[in-house]
Amino acid sequence: TRFVADDGIEHTVWPVSDPTQVSQLRDAFKQVDCTYVADGHHRAASAFRVGEMRQREAVAAGQPITGAEPFNFFLSVMFPSEQLWIMEY
């Protein structure tokens, strides 16, 4: 899917919903020992905390937790280290 954002930048998104492809991606990421969040680490931590809070609220309300709830996910992007250039401030 391609779209142009309000700032005029064109983006391409490749949704993956085929169960076989999802499984292959999961297996590939299991081989990643660690990641380094160069930018957005506060947003990632905040999203995680909100997810924990919403899970506690759901449990308190007697709702079953399946792991597929929207609060278990947040948008992110990863790049191979050879495609990154971290500049000094």
Side-chain angles (χ1 to χ4, degrees):
T1 304
R2 290 177 182 237
F3 66 95
V4 177
D6 292 340
D7 60 5
I9 303 295
E10 181 178 346
H11 302 270
T12 303
V13 178
W14 295 274
V16 179
S17 57
D18 175 68
T20 300
Q21 291 177 328
V22 170
S23 180
Q24 290 171 339
L25 284 169
R26 284 184 178 151
D27 291 344
F29 276 103
K30 286 179 185 176
Q31 298 177 31
V32 177
D33 292 329
C34 64
T35 58
Y36 177 74
V37 181
D39 186 26
H41 57 284
H42 292 109
R43 182 183 62 85
S46 296
F48 177 78
R49 288 188 191 106
V50 168
E52 284 185 317
M53 178 188 71
R54 290 188 176 161
Q55 183 177 15
R56 285 192 303 272
E57 291 170 350
V59 169
Q63 299 171 352
I65 303 298
T66 67
E69 297 82 10
F71 57 71
N72 287 310
F73 305 93
F74 65 92
L75 185 62
S76 63
V77 63
M78 297 177 72
F79 297 96
S81 59
E82 62 270 5
Q83 293 183 13
L84 294 177
W85 180 28
I86 299 175
M87 300 169 60
E88 291 184 37
Y89 284 95

